Amino acid sequence: MCGIAGIIHLDGKSLPGLNQSLSVMNHLIEHRGPDDEGIWQHQDSFIGFAHRRLSIIDLSPLARQPMIGNDGNIIVFNGEIYNYKELRQSLGASWTFKSHSDTECILAAYQRYGENCLDHLRGMFAFAIWDNKYYCQVEDAFYFASEAKALLPFLPEIATERSALAEYLTFQYTIGEKTLFEGVHQLLPGHALVIENGQVKVWRYWDVHFEIDFDHSPGYFRKRLRELVNESLELHLRSDVPVGSYISGGIDSSLLHVLANRNGNAYPLGFHGTFKEYSGYDESDYARMAVNHTGGNLHVIDITGSDFRNCIRDVIYKMDFPAAGPGSFAQYMVSRLASEHLKVVLGGQGGDEIFGGYARYVLAYFEQCIKAAIEGTYHNGNYVVTIESIVPNLGLLREYKPLMREFWREGLFEPMDQRYFRLVDRST
């Protein structure tokens, strides 16, 4: 995980108490990196970085952060660059590596490509680089951190951002750069921020683009999907410390655990949370099936009402912002269990979004299929799922009849974006 923070005075003037402020920020995010910490500040005290380390790649002191590169640039980095070995090989001719860390690969890529280094990084990351070629010349200070709590001591007052609250009550999340704290903004996924000559510039460097492929057979797509999943999993398993698996008992996490161990029992530990106080909420048998298939070991925590009372304050503190649904609490309890054994854990998050695992997707697509069949536009190239193929999956909606009644109560066959908003709108 790690944690990063920093302060920049945009007019280049010295910031009184800079080191102390960086220490406060680092203290507020210390749970993100218990292995090490570091602070760097410019000799003129107008910029400084702080870092909390969770050591995953290159456990040696050579990988400490903030890290100073061969060219004098400074970086703080949170996350993992999955293709760091390939980057190291391609950049080795122009960069003398002092460590085996993925952090240094970012510095090397930045030296070669500048801001376009983002196009060469494959991973889950946030980083800040102080490029000593730049000089800031306008007023005020710029603060950043991995978590909002590290910024709160520097706000003139702590207040709720009302427009962001309205978004949360409607969508159960905020859809833009605003957060629930007034004055605190989030750098959105796939976006980058540069401060140069006192000007702050934000741009989107990556987005999803796709075209529907009607040229290949279902067998081709099954084969290609397996190849992509295996390749992604191989990269995610790169670590200098042991790796385990969250196993909910569902398809996504169980599949990843099995695939990770398909060539042996290299990643044997699985972690699962169950609720035995109430019948119908114990899925540990399914989790055990996955672990038994690989010959691994399953660690299970029975989550109780007392756990909720004792831990919910800590969950709220760690999250900064509310999250829709109760899953975050269970995830916290299982993560706490996992932390007693290792630092890196695979998870199946995102599978429902990619493969349409939520019932609302089936309902929305079913309506659009009916609309296309009625209007005679069924074969215009926009529909890759036929009514014939979707009908056997309608059993997924059996427990969602109230949602269906509400969805069809007002409006039918409107544009797809309006219909989807109708599904996700929680403001009524």
Side-chain angles (χ1 to χ4, degrees), residues 251 355-366 369 384-400 404:
I251 294 175
F355 297 107
Y358 294 122
R360 61 175 178 267
Y361 296 149
V362 178
L363 178 56
Y365 206 94
F366 182 45
C369 284
V384 294
V385 178
T386 64
I387 291 181
E388 291 80 8
S389 66
I390 203 172
V391 166
N393 294 290
L394 293 182
L396 294 172
L397 301 175
R398 185 174 296 113
E399 298 180 5
Y400 293 87
M404 297 168 63

PDB file of all heavy atoms in Angstrom, residues 251 355-366 369 384-400 404:
ATOM      1  N   ILE A 251     -17.101 -16.633  -7.232  1.00  0.00           N
ATOM      2  CA  ILE A 251     -16.355 -17.138  -8.381  1.00  0.00           C
ATOM      3  C   ILE A 251     -15.048 -16.383  -8.580  1.00  0.00           C
ATOM      4  O   ILE A 251     -13.995 -16.986  -8.804  1.00  0.00           O
ATOM      5  CB  ILE A 251     -17.224 -17.048  -9.654  1.00  0.00           C
ATOM      6  CG1 ILE A 251     -18.420 -17.990  -9.540  1.00  0.00           C
ATOM      7  CG2 ILE A 251     -16.402 -17.384 -10.891  1.00  0.00           C
ATOM      8  CD1 ILE A 251     -19.391 -17.886 -10.694  1.00  0.00           C
ATOM      9  N   PHE A 355     -17.687  -8.183 -15.991  1.00  0.00           N
ATOM     10  CA  PHE A 355     -18.443  -9.279 -16.585  1.00  0.00           C
ATOM     11  C   PHE A 355     -19.948  -9.201 -16.332  1.00  0.00           C
ATOM     12  O   PHE A 355     -20.658 -10.175 -16.547  1.00  0.00           O
ATOM     13  CB  PHE A 355     -17.899 -10.626 -16.072  1.00  0.00           C
ATOM     14  CG  PHE A 355     -16.477 -10.870 -16.476  1.00  0.00           C
ATOM     15  CD1 PHE A 355     -15.452 -10.780 -15.554  1.00  0.00           C
ATOM     16  CD2 PHE A 355     -16.157 -11.179 -17.788  1.00  0.00           C
ATOM     17  CE1 PHE A 355     -14.130 -10.992 -15.912  1.00  0.00           C
ATOM     18  CE2 PHE A 355     -14.843 -11.403 -18.164  1.00  0.00           C
ATOM     19  CZ  PHE A 355     -13.831 -11.303 -17.228  1.00  0.00           C
ATOM     20  N   GLY A 356     -20.427  -8.024 -15.885  1.00  0.00           N
ATOM     21  CA  GLY A 356     -21.865  -7.845 -15.720  1.00  0.00           C
ATOM     22  C   GLY A 356     -22.467  -8.706 -14.641  1.00  0.00           C
ATOM     23  O   GLY A 356     -23.570  -9.237 -14.801  1.00  0.00           O
ATOM     24  N   GLY A 357     -21.771  -8.833 -13.528  1.00  0.00           N
ATOM     25  CA  GLY A 357     -22.242  -9.730 -12.483  1.00  0.00           C
ATOM     26  C   GLY A 357     -23.369  -9.190 -11.633  1.00  0.00           C
ATOM     27  O   GLY A 357     -23.978  -9.951 -10.880  1.00  0.00           O
ATOM     28  N   TYR A 358     -23.662  -7.900 -11.715  1.00  0.00           N
ATOM     29  CA  TYR A 358     -24.734  -7.331 -10.904  1.00  0.00           C
ATOM     30  C   TYR A 358     -26.074  -7.477 -11.617  1.00  0.00           C
ATOM     31  O   TYR A 358     -26.172  -7.333 -12.837  1.00  0.00           O
ATOM     32  CB  TYR A 358     -24.463  -5.859 -10.603  1.00  0.00           C
ATOM     33  CG  TYR A 358     -23.256  -5.636  -9.715  1.00  0.00           C
ATOM     34  CD1 TYR A 358     -22.194  -4.852 -10.144  1.00  0.00           C
ATOM     35  CD2 TYR A 358     -23.185  -6.214  -8.457  1.00  0.00           C
ATOM     36  CE1 TYR A 358     -21.087  -4.644  -9.338  1.00  0.00           C
ATOM     37  CE2 TYR A 358     -22.079  -6.014  -7.650  1.00  0.00           C
ATOM     38  CZ  TYR A 358     -21.034  -5.234  -8.088  1.00  0.00           C
ATOM     39  OH  TYR A 358     -19.942  -5.045  -7.286  1.00  0.00           O
ATOM     40  N   ALA A 359     -27.111  -7.721 -10.830  1.00  0.00           N
ATOM     41  CA  ALA A 359     -28.441  -7.952 -11.399  1.00  0.00           C
ATOM     42  C   ALA A 359     -28.921  -6.757 -12.222  1.00  0.00           C
ATOM     43  O   ALA A 359     -29.636  -6.929 -13.213  1.00  0.00           O
ATOM     44  CB  ALA A 359     -29.437  -8.264 -10.284  1.00  0.00           C
ATOM     45  N   ARG A 360     -28.541  -5.538 -11.830  1.00  0.00           N
ATOM     46  CA  ARG A 360     -29.025  -4.365 -12.562  1.00  0.00           C
ATOM     47  C   ARG A 360     -28.552  -4.372 -14.011  1.00  0.00           C
ATOM     48  O   ARG A 360     -29.223  -3.838 -14.884  1.00  0.00           O
ATOM     49  CB  ARG A 360     -28.590  -3.086 -11.864  1.00  0.00           C
ATOM     50  CG  ARG A 360     -27.114  -2.854 -11.737  1.00  0.00           C
ATOM     51  CD  ARG A 360     -26.841  -1.480 -11.123  1.00  0.00           C
ATOM     52  NE  ARG A 360     -25.425  -1.202 -10.932  1.00  0.00           N
ATOM     53  CZ  ARG A 360     -24.763  -1.440  -9.831  1.00  0.00           C
ATOM     54  NH1 ARG A 360     -25.398  -1.995  -8.792  1.00  0.00           N
ATOM     55  NH2 ARG A 360     -23.473  -1.157  -9.727  1.00  0.00           N
ATOM     56  N   TYR A 361     -27.374  -4.975 -14.268  1.00  0.00           N
ATOM     57  CA  TYR A 361     -26.900  -5.038 -15.646  1.00  0.00           C
ATOM     58  C   TYR A 361     -27.788  -5.948 -16.482  1.00  0.00           C
ATOM     59  O   TYR A 361     -28.104  -5.647 -17.635  1.00  0.00           O
ATOM     60  CB  TYR A 361     -25.457  -5.546 -15.687  1.00  0.00           C
ATOM     61  CG  TYR A 361     -24.447  -4.650 -15.013  1.00  0.00           C
ATOM     62  CD1 TYR A 361     -23.311  -5.177 -14.406  1.00  0.00           C
ATOM     63  CD2 TYR A 361     -24.624  -3.271 -14.971  1.00  0.00           C
ATOM     64  CE1 TYR A 361     -22.382  -4.363 -13.790  1.00  0.00           C
ATOM     65  CE2 TYR A 361     -23.703  -2.445 -14.354  1.00  0.00           C
ATOM     66  CZ  TYR A 361     -22.582  -2.999 -13.764  1.00  0.00           C
ATOM     67  OH  TYR A 361     -21.659  -2.178 -13.156  1.00  0.00           O
ATOM     68  N   VAL A 362     -28.168  -7.073 -15.902  1.00  0.00           N
ATOM     69  CA  VAL A 362     -29.053  -8.007 -16.616  1.00  0.00           C
ATOM     70  C   VAL A 362     -30.391  -7.345 -16.911  1.00  0.00           C
ATOM     71  O   VAL A 362     -30.926  -7.434 -18.018  1.00  0.00           O
ATOM     72  CB  VAL A 362     -29.263  -9.295 -15.789  1.00  0.00           C
ATOM     73  CG1 VAL A 362     -30.226 -10.238 -16.503  1.00  0.00           C
ATOM     74  CG2 VAL A 362     -27.931  -9.985 -15.526  1.00  0.00           C
ATOM     75  N   LEU A 363     -30.936  -6.655 -15.909  1.00  0.00           N
ATOM     76  CA  LEU A 363     -32.230  -6.003 -16.084  1.00  0.00           C
ATOM     77  C   LEU A 363     -32.161  -4.925 -17.163  1.00  0.00           C
ATOM     78  O   LEU A 363     -33.037  -4.854 -18.043  1.00  0.00           O
ATOM     79  CB  LEU A 363     -32.677  -5.397 -14.753  1.00  0.00           C
ATOM     80  CG  LEU A 363     -33.992  -4.624 -14.745  1.00  0.00           C
ATOM     81  CD1 LEU A 363     -35.130  -5.489 -15.251  1.00  0.00           C
ATOM     82  CD2 LEU A 363     -34.295  -4.107 -13.341  1.00  0.00           C
ATOM     83  N   ALA A 364     -31.147  -4.086 -17.123  1.00  0.00           N
ATOM     84  CA  ALA A 364     -31.021  -3.008 -18.096  1.00  0.00           C
ATOM     85  C   ALA A 364     -30.820  -3.557 -19.502  1.00  0.00           C
ATOM     86  O   ALA A 364     -31.428  -3.068 -20.466  1.00  0.00           O
ATOM     87  CB  ALA A 364     -29.862  -2.087 -17.710  1.00  0.00           C
ATOM     88  N   TYR A 365     -29.991  -4.589 -19.625  1.00  0.00           N
ATOM     89  CA  TYR A 365     -29.741  -5.141 -20.952  1.00  0.00           C
ATOM     90  C   TYR A 365     -30.965  -5.871 -21.484  1.00  0.00           C
ATOM     91  O   TYR A 365     -31.257  -5.847 -22.683  1.00  0.00           O
ATOM     92  CB  TYR A 365     -28.530  -6.072 -20.917  1.00  0.00           C
ATOM     93  CG  TYR A 365     -27.846  -6.164 -22.256  1.00  0.00           C
ATOM     94  CD1 TYR A 365     -26.768  -5.337 -22.550  1.00  0.00           C
ATOM     95  CD2 TYR A 365     -28.292  -7.036 -23.241  1.00  0.00           C
ATOM     96  CE1 TYR A 365     -26.144  -5.395 -23.782  1.00  0.00           C
ATOM     97  CE2 TYR A 365     -27.681  -7.094 -24.467  1.00  0.00           C
ATOM     98  CZ  TYR A 365     -26.609  -6.273 -24.745  1.00  0.00           C
ATOM     99  OH  TYR A 365     -26.017  -6.323 -25.975  1.00  0.00           O
ATOM    100  N   PHE A 366     -31.700  -6.515 -20.610  1.00  0.00           N
ATOM    101  CA  PHE A 366     -32.912  -7.201 -21.026  1.00  0.00           C
ATOM    102  C   PHE A 366     -33.902  -6.211 -21.632  1.00  0.00           C
ATOM    103  O   PHE A 366     -34.500  -6.469 -22.677  1.00  0.00           O
ATOM    104  CB  PHE A 366     -33.534  -7.907 -19.818  1.00  0.00           C
ATOM    105  CG  PHE A 366     -34.777  -8.687 -20.127  1.00  0.00           C
ATOM    106  CD1 PHE A 366     -34.847  -9.515 -21.235  1.00  0.00           C
ATOM    107  CD2 PHE A 366     -35.899  -8.610 -19.298  1.00  0.00           C
ATOM    108  CE1 PHE A 366     -35.997 -10.250 -21.522  1.00  0.00           C
ATOM    109  CE2 PHE A 366     -37.035  -9.328 -19.575  1.00  0.00           C
ATOM    110  CZ  PHE A 366     -37.091 -10.148 -20.689  1.00  0.00           C
ATOM    111  N   CYS A 369     -32.677  -5.182 -25.083  1.00  0.00           N
ATOM    112  CA  CYS A 369     -32.871  -6.254 -26.065  1.00  0.00           C
ATOM    113  C   CYS A 369     -34.320  -6.286 -26.550  1.00  0.00           C
ATOM    114  O   CYS A 369     -34.584  -6.453 -27.743  1.00  0.00           O
ATOM    115  CB  CYS A 369     -32.486  -7.604 -25.457  1.00  0.00           C
ATOM    116  SG  CYS A 369     -30.715  -7.886 -25.323  1.00  0.00           S
ATOM    117  N   VAL A 384     -24.692  -7.691 -28.633  1.00  0.00           N
ATOM    118  CA  VAL A 384     -23.895  -8.911 -28.739  1.00  0.00           C
ATOM    119  C   VAL A 384     -24.506 -10.034 -27.913  1.00  0.00           C
ATOM    120  O   VAL A 384     -23.999 -11.134 -27.899  1.00  0.00           O
ATOM    121  CB  VAL A 384     -22.442  -8.651 -28.270  1.00  0.00           C
ATOM    122  CG1 VAL A 384     -21.753  -7.688 -29.211  1.00  0.00           C
ATOM    123  CG2 VAL A 384     -22.416  -8.111 -26.847  1.00  0.00           C
ATOM    124  N   VAL A 385     -25.590  -9.728 -27.222  1.00  0.00           N
ATOM    125  CA  VAL A 385     -26.323 -10.736 -26.454  1.00  0.00           C
ATOM    126  C   VAL A 385     -27.736 -10.816 -27.019  1.00  0.00           C
ATOM    127  O   VAL A 385     -28.423  -9.811 -27.113  1.00  0.00           O
ATOM    128  CB  VAL A 385     -26.380 -10.380 -24.953  1.00  0.00           C
ATOM    129  CG1 VAL A 385     -27.176 -11.423 -24.197  1.00  0.00           C
ATOM    130  CG2 VAL A 385     -24.977 -10.261 -24.382  1.00  0.00           C
ATOM    131  N   THR A 386     -28.152 -11.993 -27.400  1.00  0.00           N
ATOM    132  CA  THR A 386     -29.491 -12.160 -27.966  1.00  0.00           C
ATOM    133  C   THR A 386     -30.502 -12.393 -26.848  1.00  0.00           C
ATOM    134  O   THR A 386     -30.148 -12.787 -25.735  1.00  0.00           O
ATOM    135  CB  THR A 386     -29.527 -13.360 -28.926  1.00  0.00           C
ATOM    136  OG1 THR A 386     -29.254 -14.558 -28.170  1.00  0.00           O
ATOM    137  CG2 THR A 386     -28.488 -13.193 -30.032  1.00  0.00           C
ATOM    138  N   ILE A 387     -31.781 -12.154 -27.176  1.00  0.00           N
ATOM    139  CA  ILE A 387     -32.833 -12.435 -26.200  1.00  0.00           C
ATOM    140  C   ILE A 387     -32.812 -13.912 -25.840  1.00  0.00           C
ATOM    141  O   ILE A 387     -32.993 -14.288 -24.674  1.00  0.00           O
ATOM    142  CB  ILE A 387     -34.214 -12.029 -26.771  1.00  0.00           C
ATOM    143  CG1 ILE A 387     -34.283 -10.502 -26.873  1.00  0.00           C
ATOM    144  CG2 ILE A 387     -35.331 -12.564 -25.897  1.00  0.00           C
ATOM    145  CD1 ILE A 387     -35.596  -9.987 -27.401  1.00  0.00           C
ATOM    146  N   GLU A 388     -32.569 -14.754 -26.847  1.00  0.00           N
ATOM    147  CA  GLU A 388     -32.538 -16.189 -26.600  1.00  0.00           C
ATOM    148  C   GLU A 388     -31.462 -16.564 -25.579  1.00  0.00           C
ATOM    149  O   GLU A 388     -31.657 -17.471 -24.758  1.00  0.00           O
ATOM    150  CB  GLU A 388     -32.294 -16.950 -27.907  1.00  0.00           C
ATOM    151  CG  GLU A 388     -33.452 -16.885 -28.897  1.00  0.00           C
ATOM    152  CD  GLU A 388     -33.462 -15.575 -29.679  1.00  0.00           C
ATOM    153  OE1 GLU A 388     -32.483 -14.800 -29.555  1.00  0.00           O
ATOM    154  OE2 GLU A 388     -34.438 -15.329 -30.408  1.00  0.00           O
ATOM    155  N   SER A 389     -30.334 -15.876 -25.634  1.00  0.00           N
ATOM    156  CA  SER A 389     -29.244 -16.218 -24.722  1.00  0.00           C
ATOM    157  C   SER A 389     -29.423 -15.583 -23.351  1.00  0.00           C
ATOM    158  O   SER A 389     -28.894 -16.089 -22.362  1.00  0.00           O
ATOM    159  CB  SER A 389     -27.903 -15.790 -25.320  1.00  0.00           C
ATOM    160  OG  SER A 389     -27.825 -14.381 -25.417  1.00  0.00           O
ATOM    161  N   ILE A 390     -30.150 -14.468 -23.280  1.00  0.00           N
ATOM    162  CA  ILE A 390     -30.289 -13.787 -21.997  1.00  0.00           C
ATOM    163  C   ILE A 390     -31.412 -14.391 -21.155  1.00  0.00           C
ATOM    164  O   ILE A 390     -31.382 -14.318 -19.928  1.00  0.00           O
ATOM    165  CB  ILE A 390     -30.532 -12.269 -22.207  1.00  0.00           C
ATOM    166  CG1 ILE A 390     -30.099 -11.505 -20.947  1.00  0.00           C
ATOM    167  CG2 ILE A 390     -31.969 -11.952 -22.540  1.00  0.00           C
ATOM    168  CD1 ILE A 390     -30.119 -10.007 -21.104  1.00  0.00           C
ATOM    169  N   VAL A 391     -32.388 -15.021 -21.798  1.00  0.00           N
ATOM    170  CA  VAL A 391     -33.529 -15.573 -21.059  1.00  0.00           C
ATOM    171  C   VAL A 391     -33.104 -16.571 -19.985  1.00  0.00           C
ATOM    172  O   VAL A 391     -33.596 -16.505 -18.845  1.00  0.00           O
ATOM    173  CB  VAL A 391     -34.550 -16.207 -22.029  1.00  0.00           C
ATOM    174  CG1 VAL A 391     -35.549 -17.081 -21.267  1.00  0.00           C
ATOM    175  CG2 VAL A 391     -35.295 -15.122 -22.787  1.00  0.00           C
ATOM    176  N   PRO A 392     -32.165 -17.501 -20.255  1.00  0.00           N
ATOM    177  CA  PRO A 392     -31.769 -18.432 -19.194  1.00  0.00           C
ATOM    178  C   PRO A 392     -31.134 -17.752 -17.980  1.00  0.00           C
ATOM    179  O   PRO A 392     -31.082 -18.349 -16.900  1.00  0.00           O
ATOM    180  CB  PRO A 392     -30.759 -19.351 -19.897  1.00  0.00           C
ATOM    181  CG  PRO A 392     -31.092 -19.259 -21.344  1.00  0.00           C
ATOM    182  CD  PRO A 392     -31.541 -17.849 -21.545  1.00  0.00           C
ATOM    183  N   ASN A 393     -30.663 -16.514 -18.147  1.00  0.00           N
ATOM    184  CA  ASN A 393     -30.028 -15.804 -17.040  1.00  0.00           C
ATOM    185  C   ASN A 393     -30.995 -14.945 -16.244  1.00  0.00           C
ATOM    186  O   ASN A 393     -30.601 -14.309 -15.252  1.00  0.00           O
ATOM    187  CB  ASN A 393     -28.897 -14.916 -17.576  1.00  0.00           C
ATOM    188  CG  ASN A 393     -27.755 -15.717 -18.170  1.00  0.00           C
ATOM    189  OD1 ASN A 393     -27.021 -16.379 -17.463  1.00  0.00           O
ATOM    190  ND2 ASN A 393     -27.627 -15.661 -19.482  1.00  0.00           N
ATOM    191  N   LEU A 394     -32.260 -14.922 -16.657  1.00  0.00           N
ATOM    192  CA  LEU A 394     -33.215 -14.068 -15.971  1.00  0.00           C
ATOM    193  C   LEU A 394     -33.539 -14.566 -14.564  1.00  0.00           C
ATOM    194  O   LEU A 394     -34.101 -13.825 -13.755  1.00  0.00           O
ATOM    195  CB  LEU A 394     -34.500 -13.958 -16.791  1.00  0.00           C
ATOM    196  CG  LEU A 394     -34.353 -13.219 -18.136  1.00  0.00           C
ATOM    197  CD1 LEU A 394     -35.692 -13.135 -18.837  1.00  0.00           C
ATOM    198  CD2 LEU A 394     -33.776 -11.821 -17.931  1.00  0.00           C
ATOM    199  N   GLY A 395     -33.166 -15.807 -14.265  1.00  0.00           N
ATOM    200  CA  GLY A 395     -33.362 -16.304 -12.912  1.00  0.00           C
ATOM    201  C   GLY A 395     -32.598 -15.496 -11.883  1.00  0.00           C
ATOM    202  O   GLY A 395     -32.950 -15.495 -10.689  1.00  0.00           O
ATOM    203  N   LEU A 396     -31.531 -14.783 -12.336  1.00  0.00           N
ATOM    204  CA  LEU A 396     -30.781 -13.924 -11.432  1.00  0.00           C
ATOM    205  C   LEU A 396     -31.649 -12.823 -10.839  1.00  0.00           C
ATOM    206  O   LEU A 396     -31.343 -12.272  -9.779  1.00  0.00           O
ATOM    207  CB  LEU A 396     -29.594 -13.292 -12.171  1.00  0.00           C
ATOM    208  CG  LEU A 396     -28.489 -14.233 -12.648  1.00  0.00           C
ATOM    209  CD1 LEU A 396     -27.499 -13.473 -13.528  1.00  0.00           C
ATOM    210  CD2 LEU A 396     -27.758 -14.847 -11.456  1.00  0.00           C
ATOM    211  N   LEU A 397     -32.752 -12.505 -11.525  1.00  0.00           N
ATOM    212  CA  LEU A 397     -33.613 -11.400 -11.093  1.00  0.00           C
ATOM    213  C   LEU A 397     -34.709 -11.842 -10.147  1.00  0.00           C
ATOM    214  O   LEU A 397     -35.534 -11.023  -9.726  1.00  0.00           O
ATOM    215  CB  LEU A 397     -34.240 -10.725 -12.323  1.00  0.00           C
ATOM    216  CG  LEU A 397     -33.259 -10.135 -13.352  1.00  0.00           C
ATOM    217  CD1 LEU A 397     -34.025  -9.614 -14.568  1.00  0.00           C
ATOM    218  CD2 LEU A 397     -32.439  -9.030 -12.707  1.00  0.00           C
ATOM    219  N   ARG A 398     -34.739 -13.122  -9.787  1.00  0.00           N
ATOM    220  CA  ARG A 398     -35.830 -13.646  -8.982  1.00  0.00           C
ATOM    221  C   ARG A 398     -35.984 -12.891  -7.664  1.00  0.00           C
ATOM    222  O   ARG A 398     -37.094 -12.608  -7.219  1.00  0.00           O
ATOM    223  CB  ARG A 398     -35.599 -15.142  -8.709  1.00  0.00           C
ATOM    224  CG  ARG A 398     -36.762 -15.822  -7.976  1.00  0.00           C
ATOM    225  CD  ARG A 398     -36.543 -17.315  -7.865  1.00  0.00           C
ATOM    226  NE  ARG A 398     -36.526 -17.955  -9.172  1.00  0.00           N
ATOM    227  CZ  ARG A 398     -35.436 -18.533  -9.705  1.00  0.00           C
ATOM    228  NH1 ARG A 398     -34.291 -18.519  -9.043  1.00  0.00           N
ATOM    229  NH2 ARG A 398     -35.497 -19.104 -10.888  1.00  0.00           N
ATOM    230  N   GLU A 399     -34.860 -12.532  -7.053  1.00  0.00           N
ATOM    231  CA  GLU A 399     -34.911 -11.848  -5.769  1.00  0.00           C
ATOM    232  C   GLU A 399     -34.932 -10.329  -5.914  1.00  0.00           C
ATOM    233  O   GLU A 399     -34.854  -9.613  -4.924  1.00  0.00           O
ATOM    234  CB  GLU A 399     -33.720 -12.272  -4.905  1.00  0.00           C
ATOM    235  CG  GLU A 399     -33.706 -13.766  -4.582  1.00  0.00           C
ATOM    236  CD  GLU A 399     -32.513 -14.151  -3.738  1.00  0.00           C
ATOM    237  OE1 GLU A 399     -31.766 -13.239  -3.335  1.00  0.00           O
ATOM    238  OE2 GLU A 399     -32.336 -15.354  -3.473  1.00  0.00           O
ATOM    239  N   TYR A 400     -35.047  -9.862  -7.163  1.00  0.00           N
ATOM    240  CA  TYR A 400     -35.006  -8.418  -7.403  1.00  0.00           C
ATOM    241  C   TYR A 400     -36.324  -7.899  -7.975  1.00  0.00           C
ATOM    242  O   TYR A 400     -36.352  -6.889  -8.678  1.00  0.00           O
ATOM    243  CB  TYR A 400     -33.852  -8.084  -8.346  1.00  0.00           C
ATOM    244  CG  TYR A 400     -32.497  -8.329  -7.750  1.00  0.00           C
ATOM    245  CD1 TYR A 400     -31.897  -9.594  -7.846  1.00  0.00           C
ATOM    246  CD2 TYR A 400     -31.818  -7.336  -7.055  1.00  0.00           C
ATOM    247  CE1 TYR A 400     -30.655  -9.833  -7.288  1.00  0.00           C
ATOM    248  CE2 TYR A 400     -30.573  -7.563  -6.495  1.00  0.00           C
ATOM    249  CZ  TYR A 400     -29.999  -8.815  -6.617  1.00  0.00           C
ATOM    250  OH  TYR A 400     -28.772  -9.053  -6.064  1.00  0.00           O
ATOM    251  N   MET A 404     -37.335  -4.406  -9.993  1.00  0.00           N
ATOM    252  CA  MET A 404     -37.939  -4.409 -11.321  1.00  0.00           C
ATOM    253  C   MET A 404     -39.212  -3.576 -11.337  1.00  0.00           C
ATOM    254  O   MET A 404     -39.456  -2.806 -12.285  1.00  0.00           O
ATOM    255  CB  MET A 404     -38.214  -5.853 -11.749  1.00  0.00           C
ATOM    256  CG  MET A 404     -36.958  -6.698 -11.886  1.00  0.00           C
ATOM    257  SD  MET A 404     -37.303  -8.472 -12.057  1.00  0.00           S
ATOM    258  CE  MET A 404     -38.217  -8.489 -13.593  1.00  0.00           C
TER     259      MET A 404
END
